[in-house]
Amino acid sequence: MKIILLPGVRIYGPQPEHESFLNTIKSQTGCDGEIFYWEPGYKHPEYDLPLKLIRDFTYEVILDFQEAITRATEIVVPWGDIFIGHSAGSIISLVRQRPTITMASPAPLVDSVKKSAGINKKSADLLYLILRNPNIPILNIMNKYDILACPFDRPNVENYEYTGTWCNPLSYSPINAHSDYWTNTKVINKIIETIKKWTQKP
């Protein structure tokens, strides 16, 4: 069995915690695994303005989600048995039609597009793929304080909510909330437990 991991916001590039995260899951499940970073189709804007860290994060989130929605079916992703997608990577993972684990996923917001009067063909195609076969399991992991993560109301989706250990109302950081998944023991253990369940032989 092979796991494909797709991180989301790419402004920071490959991160050591991505490798550590996948290595822990591989060692506990006996699966092979690969991290896939897709190439951006845009140039990240640079401005001489205050709040650079939060501003860069916000720009990247907006651009990545736009790219994931418009290019999800065009991006060539390695073949895998199970996909794990974080943030915008979750949208690209979901269209692969394989058992999928999403973290920090805004994909349920794409679902709301179907309620709009002016839905275009590309959005409709993406919706069709995300809503897909109800027999394919999805685990949707949400940090309670991650403002980009949403529950998915589908019979084949298990929504798992947790609270990041660092969370404090006086020192809240949307960036930390969105990236806590990579090192959180509860998240990693839940993923390991789920993959073992999905890969059990009858």
Side-chain angles (χ1 to χ4, degrees):
M1 301 293 286
K2 185 175 181 180
I3 298 167
I4 302 297
L5 173 63
L6 287 88
V9 177
R10 293 161 296 149
I11 189 172
Y12 309 111
Q15 298 291 303
E17 57 261 33
H18 298 164
E19 195 75 41
S20 175
F21 173 90
L22 184 58
N23 285 342
T24 300
I25 293 169
K26 285 162 51 180
S27 68
Q28 294 298 312
T29 61
C31 295
D32 293 326
E34 178 181 344
I35 302 175
F36 176 72
Y37 298 97
W38 76 95
E39 289 296 321
Y42 60 85
K43 188 180 187 314
H44 185 82
E46 293 291 343
Y47 300 108
D48 185 17
L49 293 169
L51 303 173
K52 178 174 172 52
L53 184 65
I54 295 177
R55 192 180 299 276
D56 282 349
F57 174 77
T58 304
Y59 291 166
E60 185 79 5
V61 166
I62 293 170
L63 291 168
D64 270 8
F65 290 142
Q66 177 177 286
E67 184 168 79
I69 290 170
T70 57
R71 296 184 57 225
T73 57
E74 301 166 9
I75 295 170
V76 179
V77 179
W79 185 91
D81 298 287
I82 295 171
F83 285 82
I84 302 176
H86 176 266
S87 193
S90 69
I91 296 174
I92 297 171
S93 296
L94 283 165
V95 303
R96 310 277 69 100
Q97 305 289 328
R98 306 294 298 171
T100 303
I101 297 169
T102 60
M103 305 185 295
S105 179
L109 297 178
V110 179
D111 184 21
S112 68
V113 174
K114 75 177 186 298
K115 301 178 180 69
S116 301
I119 184 169
N120 60 40
K121 186 178 186 304
K122 187 163 295 271
S123 297
D125 290 346
L126 183 66
L127 273 174
Y128 173 77
L129 290 170
I130 286 180
L131 301 179
R132 65 186 185 172
N133 187 337
N135 297 317
I136 298 176
I138 298 170
L139 170 65
N140 181 39
I141 302 177
M142 303 168 289
N143 181 349
K144 184 177 179 180
Y145 294 106
D146 180 3
I147 57 177
L148 292 173
C150 303
F152 221 146
D153 184 19
R154 287 288 176 273
N156 57 320
V157 178
E158 177 186 356
N159 290 298
Y160 175 75
E161 184 180 290
Y162 79 100
T163 302
T165 54
W166 56 268
C167 284
N168 182 313
L170 300 177
S171 61
Y172 174 75
S173 165
I175 299 173
N176 288 343
H178 195 59
S179 59
D180 179 74
Y181 304 80
W182 300 113
T183 55
N184 191 284
T185 302
K186 288 181 283 190
V187 170
I188 294 171
N189 286 342
K190 177 63 177 178
I191 290 173
I192 291 169
E193 171 193 314
T194 300
I195 290 176
K196 285 182 175 178
K197 180 175 71 176
W198 287 353
T199 56
Q200 277 181 348
K201 293 182 180 177

